[in-house]
Amino acid sequence: MTAAVLSGRELAAAVRAATADEAAALTAAGTPPRLAVVVATADESSAWYVRSIARAAEKAGIVCDIVDLGPGATAEEIRVRLGELSADDTVHGIIMQTPLPAGVNAQETALAIAVAKDVDGANPVSLGRLAAGLPAFAPATAEAVVRILEHHEVPLTGRHVAVVGRSTVVGKPVAHLLLDRNATVTVCHSRTADLAAVTSAADVVVAAAGRAGLITAEHVAPGAVVIDVGTNPTPDGGLVGDVDAVTVADKAGALTPVPGGVGPVTTALLLQHTVRAAAR
Amino acid sequence: MTAAVLSGRELAAAVRAATADEAAALTAAGTPPRLAVVVATADESSAWYVRSIARAAEKAGIVCDIVDLGPGATAEEIRVRLGELSADDTVHGIIMQTPLPAGVNAQETALAIAVAKDVDGANPVSLGRLAAGLPAFAPATAEAVVRILEHHEVPLTGRHVAVVGRSTVVGKPVAHLLLDRNATVTVCHSRTADLAAVTSAADVVVAAAGRAGLITAEHVAPGAVVIDVGTNPTPDGGLVGDVDAVTVADKAGALTPVPGGVGPVTTALLLQHTVRAAAR
């Protein structure tokens, strides 16, 4: 058996196309949508990611400002800049790129992003609103997981989903989004005893631990759906997920590829959130 | 086999005693701690609960104001009053009692409670801060679950906890508190397929569905620890939990009683939160 490939590319293309239409309409109406990405790191893979967002934004007709504060920026400098962008009526979406300089608390700092412009759901207030069922942008990666499942018509109501990873960026918000869709949700993590026993009892496994190859065939029930959120850099400059695709593909029913799965949908959703923020 | 009784009374008494000491010290220092309970319902069990909080507060040396807006209060009236209390320097803790009048969104309304005074963790912002690891008061009931487990030295790291119920008041925040303590957490609910299969795989079951007798022996692994959050009124004016204690006590390793389990700890924590808010 070989798992079906749950590509994110077609969904991402559809979201980007709809977003470009909305962006064009907003621009024609005198409100060119604008995204600001605040960077405070010299990290190379981060720089690569930011450039890919900027390129995608440009193609969609969204102005993208990269606000580089340098790797020496203090928490206060980052907060002040996020506050200024939050108050700037010409800016509709704000992304605070990670990693931040050592010692800067990402959660605390993200409180300075206006909720209405928090297109990557980084502000803890957005997470709380999401959990409480109030309007807010979800972190784009977490939303991408659910959108891919929906796009490929994977049923969620009453199904058991194991989320591996408890980060504020993916694990926790994806758990809330899945609960909203009536899934039974188990959140596993590095301290989970017998991870394979827990995940192999699930209909769907969401791998978001940030550890290359963590999820192997023994972690997956025959026929299960596996969503790979991992983006782990390889020594040769490539990218691998948290799932050992070679062994898992022989056992799972369906699997997202890396690259080409969650990643492109995430970027497309960041842009979609930005035009939605601009349309308000 | 008969399950050990995980009483909440001793823990509640200890928390109340420590709280009374702190309240006395604050009062002596010129800051008498003050709790405001906003009520907008004619519901009888709610009125009973509010009176019990007021009595407990008085005994602990905390001033308790019951702010009764009547069952006809509008969302706007409740919000305005919560805002006034949030701005009043003599008030340290604010509880928004439920139920609210029909049509009033509790989550939306609770946004008007200042986070620093949100002693029952009702504001979605408090929930988001909690999930993100930032200082905030947890809903007292959710915290009571974890405090009882800790008081009775039930290990949580790496253990599997099934939480039955996904409310913003208990299920979701207790999931975050348990994840913080390194438990593997499954959130189940009314749409969970084969609830008994899921809960009987867990080391600890937290029953917070609000349905009398939902959890029976078949839902519980032999020797498991069961925390009963339910407080369901009986026709004769009594109170029963979500757990069918008669059958579960023969199979579980330990079980909280109703009443006398989570309830008294919840009330004690509300008061402890209030003195902590006053001490800032």
Side-chain angles (χ1 to χ4, degrees):
Chain A
M1 188 173 89
T2 298
V5 177
L6 299 182
S7 170
R9 296 201 191 279
E10 300 68 32
L11 172 58
V15 172
R16 281 197 308 265
T19 299
D21 287 350
E22 291 180 58
L26 284 161
T27 301
T31 308
R34 180 183 290 266
L35 173 66
V37 185
V38 174
V39 179
T41 177
D43 181 78
E44 276 208 26
S45 61
S46 172
W48 180 89
Y49 180 65
V50 170
R51 279 194 302 272
S52 78
I53 291 174
R55 267 196 310 271
E58 201 182 328
K59 278 191 199 167
I62 296 171
V63 185
C64 182
D65 301 330
I66 298 176
V67 181
D68 195 343
L69 303 179
T74 65
E76 180 61 16
E77 285 166 358
I78 300 169
R79 258 199 307 271
V80 166
R81 198 56 183 265
L82 292 171
E84 288 168 358
L85 293 165
S86 293
D88 182 343
D89 286 344
T90 69
V91 173
H92 307 102
I94 301 171
I95 296 173
M96 181 187 78
Q97 181 60 20
T98 54
L100 295 173
V104 177
N105 181 319
Q107 316 298 341
E108 191 80 48
T109 308
L111 290 168
I113 304 171
V115 166
K117 302 186 181 184
D118 185 23
V119 291
D120 201 16
N123 187 334
V125 174
S126 296
L127 178 56
R129 293 180 62 98
L130 200 72
L134 295 177
F137 292 116
T141 307
E143 187 177 339
V145 169
V146 174
R147 294 285 293 271
I148 285 181
L149 288 166
E150 290 177 340
H151 176 74
H152 290 285
E153 300 181 344
V154 176
L156 290 172
T157 292
R159 305 297 283 275
H160 194 163
V161 182
V163 177
V164 184
R166 54 178 157 172
S167 73
T168 318
V169 181
V170 190
K172 286 173 179 173
V174 90
H176 287 297
L177 294 174
L178 291 164
L179 282 174
D180 268 355
R181 283 154 181 86
N182 295 315
T184 302
V185 180
T186 299
V187 182
C188 315
H189 43 78
S190 55
R191 307 296 291 274
T192 292
D194 201 351
L195 179 64
V198 177
T199 54
S200 64
D203 302 302
V204 177
V205 177
V206 178
R211 282 177 54 194
L214 175 68
I215 303 299
T216 62
E218 65 156 345
H219 292 82
V220 175
V225 174
V226 181
I227 306 294
D228 192 350
V229 182
T231 52
N232 307 290
T234 57
D236 63 353
L239 206 64
V240 294
D242 287 358
V243 175
D244 178 29
V246 176
T247 64
V248 169
D250 279 339
K251 194 172 180 190
L255 171 64
T256 58
V258 175
V262 173
V265 178
T266 299
T267 305
L269 289 174
L270 282 173
L271 304 181
Q272 185 176 63
H273 291 177
T274 302
V275 296
R276 296 223 166 132
R280 278 181 191 159
Chain B
M1 189 173 87
T2 298
V5 178
L6 299 182
S7 169
R9 295 203 192 278
E10 300 71 31
L11 172 58
V15 171
R16 281 198 308 266
T19 298
D21 286 350
E22 293 181 57
L26 284 161
T27 302
T31 309
R34 182 183 290 267
L35 173 66
V37 184
V38 174
V39 180
T41 177
D43 181 77
E44 276 208 28
S45 61
S46 171
W48 179 89
Y49 179 66
V50 169
R51 280 194 302 271
S52 78
I53 291 173
R55 267 197 310 272
E58 200 181 330
K59 278 191 199 168
I62 296 171
V63 185
C64 182
D65 301 331
I66 297 174
V67 182
D68 194 344
L69 303 180
T74 65
E76 180 62 13
E77 286 165 357
I78 301 169
R79 258 200 305 272
V80 165
R81 199 55 184 264
L82 292 172
E84 289 169 355
L85 294 164
S86 293
D88 182 341
D89 286 343
T90 69
V91 173
H92 308 102
I94 302 171
I95 295 173
M96 181 187 79
Q97 182 60 21
T98 53
L100 295 173
V104 177
N105 180 319
Q107 315 298 340
E108 191 80 46
T109 308
L111 289 168
I113 304 172
V115 166
K117 302 185 180 185
D118 185 23
V119 292
D120 203 15
N123 187 334
V125 175
S126 296
L127 179 56
R129 293 181 61 99
L130 200 72
L134 296 177
F137 291 116
T141 306
E143 186 177 340
V145 169
V146 174
R147 294 286 294 270
I148 285 181
L149 288 166
E150 291 178 338
H151 176 74
H152 291 284
E153 299 182 343
V154 176
L156 291 171
T157 293
R159 305 296 283 275
H160 194 162
V161 183
V163 176
V164 185
R166 55 178 158 173
S167 72
T168 319
V169 180
V170 190
K172 286 173 179 173
V174 89
H176 287 297
L177 294 175
L178 290 164
L179 281 175
D180 268 355
R181 283 155 183 84
N182 296 314
T184 301
V185 181
T186 298
V187 182
C188 315
H189 43 77
S190 56
R191 306 296 290 274
T192 292
D194 201 351
L195 179 64
V198 178
T199 55
S200 64
D203 302 301
V204 177
V205 177
V206 177
R211 282 178 55 194
L214 175 68
I215 303 299
T216 62
E218 65 157 345
H219 292 82
V220 175
V225 174
V226 181
I227 306 293
D228 191 350
V229 182
T231 52
N232 307 291
T234 58
D236 63 354
L239 206 66
V240 293
D242 287 0
V243 175
D244 178 29
V246 177
T247 63
V248 169
D250 279 340
K251 194 172 180 191
L255 171 64
T256 59
V258 175
V262 173
V265 179
T266 298
T267 306
L269 289 173
L270 283 173
L271 304 182
Q272 184 176 62
H273 291 176
T274 302
V275 295
R276 295 222 167 133
R280 278 182 192 160

